[in-house]
Amino acid sequence: MKILVLNSGSSSLKYQVIDMSNEKTVAEGICERIGTADSEMTYKAHGNKTKVEHGMPTHKEAIDLVLKTLQGENGVIKSIEEIDAVGHRVLHGAETFKDSVLITEEVLAKLEENVPLGPLHMPANIMGIKNCMELMPGKPNVAVFDTAFHQTLPNYAYMYPLPYQDYEELRVRKYGFHGTSHKYVSQRATEILGTKESKVIICHLGNGSSISAVKNGECIDTSMGLTPLEGLMMGTRCGNIDPAAVLYVMEKRNMSINEMDTYMNKKSGILGIYEKNSDFRNVRDDYLNGDERATLTFNMLTYRIKQYIGSYAATLGGVDAICFTGGIGENSGVTREKICEGLEFLGVEIDKEFNSRIETERLDGELLISKGKVKVYRINTNEELVIAEDTYRITKN
Ligand code: AMP
């Protein structure tokens, strides 16, 4: 059984074909700058990576190009019939969807209702689904939500202390995101620990970052909120700040709601403090060379993650394992070390030598990097596999 996994963004389309007989990715790539004159697609299969420069005025042409390439010279299928189902990454399930779902007209209508909760991503996600329904009639499509894994949060964790009517009328509450990553990594952690009866903290640290507390396999708190802006300091997002600072800056800088939204989502975080760019590899290098601003950025970022770990250890009533994933979490030993520094009181003791060797020797896989009571793991996330597994589970009958 082969599953096509699609992630439709506003001007991009990421795709993978996963063979469920061995859970291996057989083809993958990305269509970028869709709708512009220099749109292009990368395609990787059979160990070869190629670039296809092709006009892709809309996502429909992009999906069509993906399907043709999958059947082409370096293809992985002979006909579309070999694709059994399509799994779509969808940003917002709100409270409507607590699990992945087979797409029907009724489901599509419900997804439309969630557009106001994710105005940047939801239209592109829905467009990707509709395009597949048109290009591959009769093929089952499944929506896999970034929010679903966090639907187990208790109400006292997901409610904001705003007037209750905002929850009832506007659906304002914490939803959490990166759910497929938190699900995958927490499942791997419980498998490695050999028991589901566990208290695990997952740190997904990348351009977007979030952290979650998972007890006995269920998420009980997470750092992102109504939108992905809440929580940790990220590449270009500010994360938690005093809400009154938003009003103050808007007033003093004479900014509109849209301008402030861009300011907090695209101009803050690592970029806002470091100022050169939002690439954490540069921050890390400059920090190691003693650059003052890079040091401030590095210290702010790691301090805030450490605070969340302490907070979630209290939420969980202890911690058995801490897992690092995402571009920064998987690759930056010095960041993992700094975050864990000072957490010895919890039983966290990093194996510093091995932790730093992972980066220098480019060690791969799921690795234990601690010596203390609390297990600390570096685990590569695999969001596409979760999407493919859910799609398989929901469509196999
Ligand atoms: P992601 O969004 O998960 O792809 O992660 C992207 C982020 O990971 C970027 O900020 C990269 O600079 C960062 N990153 C990747 N490799 C490293 C590394 N070896 N050290 C520090 N940051 C890294």
Side-chain angles (χ1 to χ4, degrees), residues 132-144:
C132 283
M133 290 168 106
E134 280 172 37
L135 290 166
M136 292 179 274
K139 199 70 71 191
N141 288 274
V142 170
V144 180

Side-chain angles (χ1 to χ4, degrees), residues 205-208 278-281 284 326-328 331-332 359:
L205 312 176
N207 258 328
S278 64
D279 190 326
F280 198 67
R281 276 168 295 207
R284 189 253 343 245
I328 300 171
N331 298 309
S332 181
E359 200 170 350

